[in-house]
């Protein structure tokens, strides 16, 4: 069955370190998204991609970057982790830009 | 531009009583609308979707929602709450021309025995 996976599921890191969160989908979807979820803020869009070599900034993109070298993967990199980036991160994919999204299980990141 | 407002951050009901979670939206386009459910420490799961077909949409687990364009609303209902319905619910508006989805802040549903 097609799926979307995230790794690691839990990560503890230190301030200033570079961290990469992986997202892999086997739906063959062109559209992929990264969100962060914080209490009181719902889900906020970090970056998104409409296809290979395409990336776009969302509403909370500062301090994050993504690259899309193939259809299946959209890794999220925190260039220099900050305590404010402690959050739960969700990856999602969709067949069309306005269709519903399949979500991964999430990565809980703690920055100490 | 598009936005979504979930009118209640917390809703508490007794088991067996009706559920109403309210959602208003705005969009410059002809939007698609969705409700997702998130159980504790889990990812989001699609509950139902409206994509310009029937205005009354039925979803999983007995939930349904009605798209009312004149009121710009997409409220989620269920006739009889079950303990397993306790979760967080997100209303989402999306449009192709907007290029992305916009999530509401979520409504936490508590079901009392």
């Amino acid at each position: 069955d097609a799926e979307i996976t995230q790794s690691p599921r839990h990560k503890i890191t230190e301030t200033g370190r570079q961290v990469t969160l992986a997202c892999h989908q086997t739906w063959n979807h062109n559209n992929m998204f990264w969100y962060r979820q914080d209490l009181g803020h719902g889900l906020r869009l970090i970056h998104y991609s409409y296809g290979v070599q395409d990336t776009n900034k969302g509403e909370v993109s500062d301090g994050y970057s993504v690259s899309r070298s193939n259809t299946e993967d959209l890794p999220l990199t925190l260039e220099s982790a900050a305590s404010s980036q402690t959050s739960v991160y969700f990856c999602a994919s969709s067949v069309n830009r306005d269709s519903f999204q399949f979500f991964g299980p999430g990565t809980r990141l703690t920055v100490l | 531009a598009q936005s979504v407002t979930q009118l209640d951050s917390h809703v508490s009901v007794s088991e067996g009583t009706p559920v109403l979670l309210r959602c208003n939206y705005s969009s410059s386009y002809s939007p698609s609308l969705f409700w997702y459910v998130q159980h504790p420490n889990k990812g989001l799961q699609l509950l139902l979707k409206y994509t310009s077909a029937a205005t009354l949409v039925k979803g999983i687990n007995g939930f349904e929602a009605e798209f009312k364009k004149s009121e710009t609303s997409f409220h989620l209902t269920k006739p009889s709450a079950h303990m397993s319905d306790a979760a967080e619910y997100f209303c989402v508006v999306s449009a192709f021309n907007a290029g992305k989805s916009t999530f509401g802040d979520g409504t936490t549903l508590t079901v009392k025995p």
Side-chain angles (χ1 to χ4, degrees):
Chain A
D1 286 347
E3 60 178 355
I4 179 165
T5 57
Q6 294 183 235
S7 62
R9 296 295 313 280
H10 301 270
K11 174 79 175 177
I12 300 174
T13 191
E14 295 177 345
T15 301
R17 290 189 179 269
Q18 183 181 81
V19 176
T20 297
L21 308 183
C23 175
H24 180 79
Q25 53 98 1
T26 58
W27 295 98
N28 200 34
H29 288 161
N30 283 327
N31 308 295
M32 295 185 71
F33 310 84
W34 273 105
Y35 298 91
R36 61 179 287 175
Q37 184 177 31
D38 305 287
L39 210 59
H41 290 280
L43 270 77
R44 292 182 290 176
L45 184 63
I46 305 171
H47 282 286
Y48 57 103
S49 169
Y50 292 149
V52 176
Q53 302 302 330
D54 176 78
T55 60
N56 306 279
K57 294 181 179 180
E59 58 182 305
V60 290
S61 60
D62 287 348
Y64 303 94
S65 64
V66 294
S67 62
R68 188 90 179 270
S69 59
N70 59 52
T71 301
E72 297 80 16
D73 299 290
L74 187 69
L76 178 72
T77 297
L78 288 67
E79 302 294 343
S80 176
S83 58
S84 60
Q85 295 177 308
T86 292
S87 187
V88 180
Y89 291 85
F90 287 99
C91 179
S93 71
S94 67
V95 62
N96 295 316
R97 296 182 186 186
D98 60 341
S99 59
F100 70 91
Q101 296 174 13
F102 293 91
F103 279 82
T107 294
R108 185 174 296 275
L109 176 67
T110 302
V111 183
L112 301 175
Chain B
Q2 59 187 22
S3 66
V4 60
T5 301
Q6 292 184 239
L7 298 170
D8 307 289
S9 57
H10 292 88
V11 170
S12 181
V13 301
S14 298
E15 190 174 21
T17 64
V19 175
L20 170 64
L21 305 183
R22 299 182 295 164
C23 173
N24 286 350
Y25 72 93
S26 75
S27 179
S28 305
Y29 317 104
S30 296
S32 298
L33 292 155
F34 311 93
W35 277 98
Y36 289 83
V37 60
Q38 183 182 31
H39 288 94
N41 300 312
K42 299 289 186 182
L44 278 74
Q45 178 186 14
L46 181 69
L47 205 53
L48 51 79
K49 60 181 178 178
Y50 165 78
T51 55
S52 76
T55 57
L56 183 62
V57 181
K58 294 187 184 299
I60 60 173
N61 300 333
F63 283 94
E64 62 181 39
E66 186 171 7
F67 174 72
K68 292 187 176 181
K69 186 175 181 179
S70 60
E71 299 176 11
T72 61
S73 68
F74 190 58
H75 300 335
L76 182 70
T77 61
K78 183 174 181 178
S80 176
H82 191 271
M83 295 298 292
S84 61
D85 294 328
E88 184 140 21
Y89 293 79
F90 293 94
C91 182
V92 181
V93 61
S94 185
F96 186 88
N97 289 335
K100 59 189 188 298
S101 299
T102 301
F103 285 71
D105 288 339
T107 297
T108 301
L109 176 65
T110 300
V111 182
K112 298 175 292 186

